[in-house]
Amino acid sequence: MLLPIYLSLNVLVLSVGQGTGTPIRLADGAKNYGRVEVYYNGQWGTVCDDWWDLNDANVVCRQLGFERAADSKGGAFYGRGAGPILLDDVGCIGNETSLDQCRHSGIENHNCGHTEDAGVVCNSDTETIEAIRLADGADNYGRVEIFYNGQWGTVCDDEWDLSDANVACRQLGFESAAESKSRAFYGPGAGPIVLDDVGCIGNEISLDQCRHSGVENHNCGHTEDAGVVCNSYTDTIEAIRLADGADNYGRVEIFYNGQWGTVCDDWWDFNDANVACRQLGFESAAESKSRSFYGPGAGPILFDDVACVGNEISLDQCRHSGIENHNCVHGEDAGVVCNNETDDTEEPEYSSGEIDLSINSPRPGYTDTIEAIRLADGADNYGRVEIFYNGQWGTVCDDWWDFNDANVACRQLGFESAAESKSRSFYGPGAGPILFDDVACVGNEISLDQCRHSGIENHNCVHGEDAGVVCNNETDDTEEPEYSSGEIDLSINSPRPGYTDTIEAIRLADGADNYGRVEIFYNGQWGTVCDDEWDLNDANVACRQLGFESAAESKNRSFYGPGTGPILFDDVACVGNEISLDQCRHSGIGNCGHGGDAGVVCNNETDDTEELEYSSGEIDLSINSPRPDETDDTEEPEYSSEEIDLSTHIPRPERGDKFHDDPFYTVLLPTTGALLFMLAMLGTVVVVVMRRLGRRGTRKDQEEVALSLDQLDQYSSKGDSNTYGKLPEEQLDQPDKCSASA
C-alpha cells in the first residue's frame, strides 16, 4: 500500500519535496545533511548503512532537490532513529532518479539495529570560498586556511590526502602538491573549522568544488588542521652521485647549496630509483635500497617523501616534501642498484630457454645463467617453482610473488597462462638454495630473467616461503562429456592436468525459487561451492545459468545452512560476463568446510503484481521494479501526492526450474518417499512383535522341561526300573526340547 509524503518542518527535521517520489526526509541534522528517513505504513522509518555509499547518497540528495551528495554517513552518524528499519543493502548505481530504482533487500528485511542508521550530506552549492592561504610555514608550505563569512578558518584533516592538496596548491598558484600534511603539522590554527571530510578527485580548480561535509559541519579540533607542501620547482639539484658502493650501486647523494646531502627512504621505491639511475647515466634501476643499506651518510638530508612517477629525467622533477623538509635521520638514507648492461661477457654455455641472472642483478657484470625451470611435488601443470643453477635445483621465495610472476613462469614452462599463484610452500618446502627473491614481473616478460628481482641467492627467506604456480592446461584432448546442454566443465583453471569432468546441473537449495545455497551436480551427487572469493560477479554468473537476469546479492558463511556432499568449487573468481561458472577462474577442489557454503539471491523481474492504489510520483522500493504505468482514480491523500511504494518488494519470485516444476520432483518423489517410510516403520513393528512372542514361547518350554526333570528325580529315587514307561507320552519328548534349547 502506498502512503503519502509527510512534511515535518522543525529545527531538526526537514523533508524536501522536489524530484520524483519524495516521502523522504533528513532528520537530526540541517537543511542539507542528516539521517535518511522514509515514510511507510503510517510512520517514519530508517535505512540501514549496509552497502550504503556515495552512489546511494547521490540518489537521495537528488530526490531532495540537491545537485549531488557530498558524503554518505553510516554508524548512526546523526544519532539513532526510531520506528522500523525499512531498507537494507541498498545498492544504487548512482544514476537512478529515486530509491525505488535501486537494488535493496526488501521492506523491513534486514539484519540491522538503529546504531547502523544511514545518513547523507548534500551539496547545496551556495557556499563559496572567498580566499585561501598558507599559514605558519613558507611560500609553498604551511597550514591551509580559507576565508569565509568574514574570517579565516581551517580545514580538518579527515580524508585529507594528496588529491586535496593538489587542488589547494593549484588554487594558490602552484603547479601541483608535493605532500599533504595532517595532525596540525604546522601548528594548530584558530577561528572556525570551515571544511571537513574533503574528498577531491584532483581535477577541481578550487576546494569548494570538492566533496565535503558542509561549511562548519565537522567533528574535529584544531589539532587536526590540514596542511600542504606545494611544488615550487625553483630548487634544482646541481649533481648526483653514488657513495660507499661501486659504479652502479650505492647510497644516493645530491649536491645542493655547496655541499653533498642524502635522500630519506620514506616512500623511496623502484620508480624513484629508476629516475636516479637514469640521471647517473644508466638505462634503468635493478633495485631500490633503504635503511642505509650502504651505510649512513653525512651532511644535510635534502629530500624526503620522494614519489616519482618514473618517467622524470631528474629527481627534482619528482614530488617531494621540499629541500631539507624532512623527519628522518641518516639511518634512513636511500640507495640504488642500477643496471649495468655494458659489460662484454662470454657467451653462456646454454643457449636455449636460458635465464640470464645478470639483468636486475645487484652486482655489475653478473652474467651467471640457469639451465632450466620445473614444477616439483605437483603434476604437469602445478607445483613448486624450481630453477636449476650452478649444478643444483633451487627454489623461489614468495615475497612479492603474484599472478604476474606466475604467468611468466607458466609461459616459460610451455603453458598458455597461469591459473593461480601459490605461496607459503603450498606444495611443500623445497631443498637446496633459495635462488630468487622479490620477483616482480610486469607480466609480459617471456622469462623470469626479464623480471626485476633481488639477485641470485640474495634473500631473507626460508623454504617455508617457497613459491608455486597452477598453470592453465587447455591442450588436453579429452572425450566428449556425457552431457551436452548447459554443462559446467571443471577443467578450466583446475589444479589437475586434463581435468575434463563435467557437471550436469546447478540448483538453489534450502531457499526459494530465486535464492538459496548454490549446488552443482557432479559424479552422481550434489555438491556445494566454497565462499572463498565469492562475490556479486560470481553470483551474477550463477543466476544467469539458472535463468535469471542478474543477481541481487551474494551470500556466504552458509547463509542458507550448511550443505552435504563434496565441496566441488573453491576460489571462484568470475569477471562477471561469463555465461557459466566453468568459464570463471577457480581452484578446483577446495580447502573449505560446509560452514563456508556459498549462496545467491537472484533478481526475478517477471512477476506480474497487482496495480498499485496510488499513481502519481510513487516510489516502488522493490528490487529494480518498473514504475507502474497506469493510474487509479483515488482520493487525494492528506499530505502530498508523491509516495513511496514499499509494498511490492517480495523476495520470493517465481522461476521455471525443472527441479521445482517437474511433477516427478514435486509430487511423485515426495509421495514415494512417504510410502517407503511407512513401510519401513511397519516392518520394524512386525519384527519387534515376533521377537517378543518368541521370548514368551521359550519361557514356557523351559518351565515344562523343569517340571519333567523333577518328576524323573522322583521316579529314580523310588528305584522304579520302568520310570520312563510310566511317564506320560508327551513328557518323554522333553529331553529333545532341552537339547534343542541348548
Side-chain angles (χ1 to χ4, degrees), residues 100-139:
D100 69 304
Q101 296 178 359
C102 301
R103 178 174 58 80
H104 59 83
S105 62
I107 298 302
E108 298 189 48
N109 181 22
H110 66 86
N111 58 350
C112 307
H114 281 296
T115 56
E116 300 172 79
D117 286 344
V120 295
V121 178
C122 301
N123 275 328
S124 62
D125 292 321
T126 59
E127 295 132 356
T128 58
I129 297 174
E130 302 172 38
I132 186 171
R133 73 180 182 185
L134 297 179
D136 294 336
D139 289 343

Side-chain angles (χ1 to χ4, degrees), residues 597-723:
D597 287 342
V600 294
V601 178
C602 299
N603 279 324
N604 188 351
E605 302 181 346
T606 60
D607 290 332
D608 296 327
T609 56
E610 186 178 354
E611 187 65 22
L612 304 174
E613 179 180 355
Y614 298 95
S615 61
S616 176
E618 298 167 346
I619 291 183
D620 175 13
L621 292 181
S622 62
I623 297 178
N624 295 322
S625 66
R627 188 181 305 279
D629 295 326
E630 300 177 4
T631 60
D632 295 326
D633 294 329
T634 57
E635 184 179 354
E636 186 67 16
E638 177 183 355
Y639 301 104
S640 173
S641 62
E642 296 170 332
E643 302 93 11
I644 287 182
D645 173 17
L646 298 177
S647 63
T648 61
H649 184 87
I650 302 173
R652 288 179 173 82
E654 297 177 359
R655 169 169 64 95
D657 183 272
K658 68 178 183 179
F659 297 102
H660 295 76
D661 300 337
D662 194 330
F664 175 76
Y665 292 95
T666 58
V667 179
L668 183 58
L669 188 59
T671 304
T672 304
L675 290 174
L676 291 174
F677 177 78
M678 293 175 63
L679 289 174
M681 292 298 296
L682 181 60
T684 302
V685 171
V686 171
V687 170
V688 171
V689 171
M690 293 298 293
R691 291 183 63 182
R692 289 186 177 179
L693 290 175
R695 283 199 297 270
R696 289 181 180 178
T698 302
R699 285 197 298 270
K700 182 176 180 182
D701 291 341
Q702 290 173 349
E703 291 171 358
E704 292 177 355
V705 170
L707 177 60
S708 300
L709 291 174
D710 289 341
Q711 292 175 349
L712 286 172
D713 290 339
Q714 292 175 4
Y715 284 115
S716 60
S717 63
K718 294 178 181 180
D720 192 343
S721 59
N722 295 323
T723 299

Side-chain angles (χ1 to χ4, degrees), residues 384-385 395-403 405 421-427 434-440 459-469:
R384 182 177 59 254
V385 175
T395 62
V396 177
C397 180
D398 63 5
D399 293 346
W400 296 8
W401 185 258
D402 61 13
F403 193 67
D405 310 319
S421 63
K422 294 292 188 180
S423 58
R424 297 182 183 178
S425 297
F426 188 87
Y427 297 105
I434 299 174
L435 296 174
F436 274 2
D437 189 18
D438 298 332
V439 178
H459 66 88
N460 59 350
C461 307
V462 295
H463 281 298
E465 301 171 77
D466 286 343
V469 294

Side-chain angles (χ1 to χ4, degrees), residues 196-511:
D196 187 17
D197 298 329
V198 177
C200 302
I201 296 173
N203 56 5
E204 300 87 349
I205 59 173
S206 62
L207 285 177
D208 54 1
Q209 294 182 359
C210 301
R211 176 175 62 82
H212 58 82
S213 61
V215 171
E216 297 188 42
N217 178 27
H218 66 87
N219 58 351
C220 306
H222 281 296
T223 57
E224 301 172 79
D225 286 343
V228 295
V229 178
C230 300
N231 279 322
S232 62
Y233 292 113
T234 58
D235 301 315
T236 57
I237 298 174
E238 302 173 37
I240 186 171
R241 73 181 182 185
L242 297 179
D244 293 336
D247 289 343
N248 71 318
Y249 61 92
R251 182 178 59 253
V252 176
E253 294 191 352
I254 52 181
F255 194 75
Y256 173 75
N257 200 22
Q259 60 182 328
W260 288 99
T262 62
V263 177
C264 181
D265 64 4
D266 293 345
W267 295 9
W268 185 257
D269 61 12
F270 192 67
N271 288 337
D272 310 319
N274 260 329
V275 174
C277 286
R278 284 198 300 268
Q279 262 194 283
L280 288 160
F282 296 97
E283 184 175 348
S284 62
E287 192 174 358
S288 62
K289 294 291 187 180
S290 59
R291 297 181 183 176
S292 298
F293 188 86
Y294 297 104
I301 299 174
L302 295 174
F303 275 0
D304 188 19
D305 299 331
V306 178
C308 303
V309 175
N311 56 5
E312 300 87 349
I313 59 173
S314 63
L315 285 177
D316 55 359
Q317 294 183 359
C318 302
R319 179 171 62 82
H320 58 82
S321 62
I323 295 287
E324 296 189 52
N325 181 24
H326 66 87
N327 58 350
C328 306
V329 295
H330 281 299
E332 301 171 78
D333 286 342
V336 294
V337 179
C338 299
N339 277 322
N340 188 355
E341 300 180 347
T342 60
D343 295 326
D344 295 328
T345 58
E346 183 180 354
E347 185 67 16
E349 177 181 356
Y350 305 98
S351 60
S352 176
E354 298 166 345
I355 294 182
D356 178 10
L357 295 181
S358 63
I359 298 179
N360 296 323
S361 172
R363 289 173 176 77
Y366 208 139
T367 57
D368 296 312
T369 57
I370 66 172
E371 302 171 40
I373 184 172
R374 72 179 182 185
L375 298 179
D377 292 337
D380 289 344
N381 71 318
Y382 64 93
R384 182 177 59 254
V385 175
E386 294 191 352
I387 51 181
F388 196 74
Y389 169 72
N390 200 20
Q392 60 182 329
W393 288 99
T395 62
V396 177
C397 180
D398 63 5
D399 293 346
W400 296 8
W401 185 258
D402 61 13
F403 193 67
N404 287 337
D405 310 319
N407 260 329
V408 174
C410 286
R411 285 198 299 268
Q412 268 196 278
L413 288 160
F415 296 98
E416 183 175 348
S417 61
E420 192 172 358
S421 63
K422 294 292 188 180
S423 58
R424 297 182 183 178
S425 297
F426 188 87
Y427 297 105
I434 299 174
L435 296 174
F436 274 2
D437 189 18
D438 298 332
V439 178
C441 303
V442 175
N444 56 4
E445 300 86 348
I446 59 173
S447 60
L448 285 177
D449 67 305
Q450 296 181 358
C451 302
R452 180 168 62 84
H453 59 82
S454 63
I456 289 283
E457 297 189 49
N458 181 21
H459 66 88
N460 59 350
C461 307
V462 295
H463 281 298
E465 301 171 77
D466 286 343
V469 294
V470 179
C471 300
N472 277 323
N473 188 356
E474 300 180 351
T475 60
D476 293 327
D477 295 329
T478 58
E479 184 180 353
E480 185 68 16
E482 178 181 354
Y483 305 97
S484 60
S485 177
E487 298 164 346
I488 294 182
D489 179 8
L490 295 178
S491 63
I492 297 181
N493 296 324
S494 172
R496 291 172 173 79
Y499 205 136
T500 58
D501 297 312
T502 56
I503 65 174
E504 303 170 42
I506 184 171
R507 72 178 182 186
L508 299 179
D510 293 337

